[in-house]
Amino acid sequence: MSFSGDVKSELEKQVAQARHCQLAELSAILMNAGFAELCDDGSYKVYLQEEPGKVSRKFFTILKKAFNIDTDVHDYSIGKFVQGKPYKMVLSGNDEVKSILKAIHALNEDGTVRTSSDGISQRIIMKSCCKRAFLRDTFMCIGSISDPSKSYHMEFACGSQVMAEDIKKLIDSFDIDARIVQRKKYYVVYIKESTAIVDLLNVMEAPVSLMNMENERIVREMRGAINRRVNCETANITKTVNAASRQTADILYLRDHYGFENLPETLRDMAEARLQYPDATLLELGKYLDPQVGKSGVNHRLRKLSELADKLRS
């Protein structure tokens, strides 16, 4: 199973204890993975997407806890396709279904059904705990998260701009920065900062997924630090080798076209030391001289030798 699937499986098992939070969860599921419709005879029907199964399972679990209604999607054979997605009818009736829809604030004042284009009813998310519950089940329905070992990306693919803006406000209320981008027919609320994703997993009460992501993040950061150090060391070694190679070529040119006997003693000793120790660093070369010379002194003498070689070449 993917990391995103693991997160959703964990959230499926996380059912709020307080009834007002359970109502927020039902509202989130209905708005993001289902819909209700008012029939001509005044009755209501509630539909849920057939997939993913974990969403419908949680819907029925909460329905049992909050309203003591024991039903199952298999009780009904009526279904329909909406925008290419299959839906199954899970509730049907008059007063009982209407009372459920009223409780989760899925109805307008005139009895018509709220849709995602109407946005989230503020009465269902008045408390911080209800906001957590709503976000948790919204992620189960329309959320996804990338494998933290590869990249950091978390998103909610909303069916309307109003819903996307409301989801962003919910996330922002926990001091987590989220952004919105339109992708084809969806409005996507997304987070790309690893710390922000961890914070939101904490908000949605997914501690196992949070720890797994933190572990992956630590491993990635360690690998990154090691790679940066190795690259730095490699660059330094390459720079040192290239410089030593140029210095050796200049000294050999001086030997063949000028003669070491014409060099000042300090430069002659430096030239002989470099030829004898072609792989030595500047600091090491200074210790081979008598008397010893510091790194800056060695660099100065080698630069003088290179300048003389360049002058002879020209």
Side-chain angles (χ1 to χ4, degrees):
M1 186 181 294
S2 66
F3 183 74
S4 189
D6 291 339
V7 174
K8 292 184 178 183
S9 294
E10 183 179 5
L11 295 179
E12 178 190 355
K13 301 171 186 177
Q14 187 66 263
V15 179
Q17 296 299 314
R19 189 172 187 271
H20 50 80
C21 293
Q22 294 171 357
L23 298 180
E25 291 192 270
L26 288 175
S27 177
I29 292 174
L30 183 61
M31 293 195 75
N32 294 290
F35 64 92
E37 62 180 11
L38 175 60
C39 303
D40 294 336
D41 60 0
S43 65
Y44 291 90
K45 293 180 180 179
V46 176
Y47 293 83
L48 286 183
Q49 289 180 19
E50 292 191 38
E51 295 294 338
K54 56 175 64 70
V55 173
S56 57
R57 286 196 300 268
K58 188 168 188 181
F59 181 85
F60 299 131
T61 299
I62 301 173
L63 200 65
K64 172 70 174 177
K65 288 179 177 291
F67 297 97
N68 197 28
I69 295 177
D70 194 3
T71 186
D72 189 271
V73 69
H74 299 297
D75 294 344
Y76 299 91
S77 59
I78 301 174
K80 61 171 60 179
F81 279 83
V82 179
Q83 295 182 344
K85 295 179 180 179
Y87 288 79
K88 279 283 188 179
M89 188 176 70
V90 294
L91 292 175
S92 179
N94 292 312
D95 296 339
E96 186 179 44
V97 177
K98 185 176 182 179
S99 66
I100 294 173
L101 295 176
K102 277 187 174 182
I104 63 176
H105 299 287
L107 298 180
N108 296 312
E109 295 296 332
D110 58 358
T112 57
V113 178
R114 290 178 63 90
T115 66
S116 62
S117 298
D118 298 317
I120 304 170
S121 171
Q122 295 304 304
R123 290 180 292 176
I124 202 70
I125 52 170
M126 294 180 64
K127 297 184 178 182
S128 178
C129 56
C130 295
K131 292 179 181 179
R132 291 173 181 267
F134 195 96
L135 281 172
R136 178 167 60 242
D137 284 51
T138 297
F139 182 83
M140 279 187 58
C141 298
I142 59 173
S144 64
I145 183 171
S146 62
D147 187 338
S149 65
K150 299 177 181 177
S151 63
Y152 299 128
H153 184 86
M154 187 179 195
E155 67 178 37
F156 298 77
C158 304
S160 71
Q161 184 175 359
V162 175
M163 176 61 77
E165 291 172 349
D166 285 351
I167 293 296
K168 182 182 184 304
K169 289 177 184 176
L170 274 182
I171 296 173
D172 289 344
S173 69
F174 293 97
D175 295 324
I176 300 172
D177 184 32
R179 298 184 180 182
I180 299 177
V181 64
Q182 186 172 2
R183 187 188 301 155
K184 295 183 179 179
K185 63 179 180 179
Y186 294 103
Y187 292 86
V188 180
V189 183
Y190 70 93
I191 303 171
K192 297 191 77 70
E193 292 292 331
S194 60
T195 53
I197 295 174
V198 167
D199 289 341
L200 189 53
L201 288 174
N202 183 51
V203 166
M204 296 189 302
E205 299 176 290
V208 175
S209 299
L210 185 155
M211 291 304 300
N212 289 338
M213 180 168 177
E214 283 285 56
N215 291 336
E216 288 291 348
R217 187 170 65 150
I218 291 171
V219 171
R220 282 192 68 185
E221 288 178 353
M222 288 181 62
R223 285 175 179 168
I226 292 172
N227 287 337
R228 285 190 295 273
R229 185 167 182 176
V230 168
N231 290 338
C232 183
E233 293 284 352
T234 302
N236 288 336
I237 292 171
T238 302
K239 184 178 178 181
T240 300
V241 169
N242 290 339
S245 178
R246 288 194 303 270
Q247 293 159 5
T248 302
D250 289 339
I251 291 169
L252 290 174
Y253 187 86
L254 287 173
R255 184 193 66 183
D256 297 337
H257 297 84
Y258 188 72
F260 282 175
E261 66 276 6
N262 295 316
L263 293 172
E265 184 180 356
T266 55
L267 295 184
R268 183 172 63 250
D269 291 345
M270 186 74 261
E272 291 173 346
R274 171 49 85 193
L275 292 180
Q276 186 175 359
Y277 304 103
D279 298 327
T281 63
L282 299 184
L283 189 62
E284 292 169 341
L285 279 177
K287 295 179 180 179
Y288 296 138
L289 298 176
D290 187 17
Q292 293 186 1
V293 179
K295 183 177 178 181
S296 60
V298 171
N299 186 53
H300 174 75
R301 295 182 186 185
L302 288 172
R303 189 168 63 251
K304 286 289 186 181
L305 290 169
S306 294
E307 290 173 356
L308 180 57
D310 290 338
K311 186 176 180 180
L312 287 174
R313 289 190 184 100
S314 64

